[in-house]
Amino acid sequence: MAERAVSMGKVVYVLNPRDMRHYALGLGRRGKTDRVDAHMIRRFITTERGHLRPYQPASAIQRQLALLQRRRATVVKHRQALQKALRSVNRLEAPLFDTLAALDVLLKHIDQQLEGVLTLQPALASPSPAS
């Protein structure tokens, strides 16, 4: 919804609900209705606009990087789960080793794709440490 509003030329602020709750409590607001929330959010944006950054949709490359990172994290999570679940089962050690090796190859492929995307956008790569 935020991306659609930005594409229509609207200025959009994506706010953290927890921050809004603390702001409301700071104002002494205890009630929680849509109307109270709307007034509180309007007041927050009006008073804090100078300190807020408008929402910027992610670029196609940023979305691709995020997707690859999520998939990599999923593979790592499942690799660890398999390793923990099957490490002490005697007759499954060899198939487990083969499976873990295959997952390692998959992780290398994902890493190569990540590096390829970062090569296209060097500004997105983490800065190298200063010498």
Side-chain angles (χ1 to χ4, degrees):
M1 188 163 56
E3 289 185 18
R4 176 132 172 112
V6 169
S7 73
M8 295 169 56
K10 306 291 183 190
V11 177
V12 175
Y13 299 103
V14 177
L15 305 173
N16 184 329
R18 187 176 0 177
D19 292 343
M20 293 298 91
R21 179 71 181 142
H22 290 298
Y23 183 76
L25 290 173
L27 294 175
R29 308 262 173 156
R30 302 285 185 246
K32 178 93 173 87
T33 66
D34 288 347
R35 177 172 277 175
V36 169
D37 286 350
H39 287 293
M40 184 267 307
I41 291 169
R42 183 182 67 202
R43 180 175 174 176
F44 178 81
I45 290 174
T46 301
T47 58
E48 300 296 327
R49 182 175 286 146
H51 302 289
L52 297 175
R53 286 190 340 219
Y55 172 76
Q56 290 283 8
S59 69
I61 289 179
Q62 289 169 328
R63 285 192 301 273
Q64 186 178 7
L65 279 173
L67 176 66
L68 285 169
Q69 288 172 329
R70 283 192 308 273
R71 291 197 174 153
R72 187 184 194 291
T74 299
V75 172
V76 168
K77 177 181 162 185
H78 289 292
R79 184 190 186 285
Q80 290 171 342
L82 278 171
Q83 192 171 19
K84 283 181 183 179
L86 301 175
R87 72 173 155 216
S88 61
V89 179
N90 291 336
R91 286 185 265 198
L92 295 179
E93 288 175 353
L96 174 62
F97 180 79
D98 294 341
T99 302
L100 294 177
L103 290 173
D104 289 340
V105 169
L106 177 59
L107 288 170
K108 285 182 184 177
H109 285 291
I110 293 172
D111 289 341
Q112 289 171 350
Q113 287 185 8
L114 282 165
E115 287 178 26
V117 172
L118 287 173
T119 301
L120 297 173
Q121 281 289 353
L124 294 176
S126 59
S128 59
S131 304

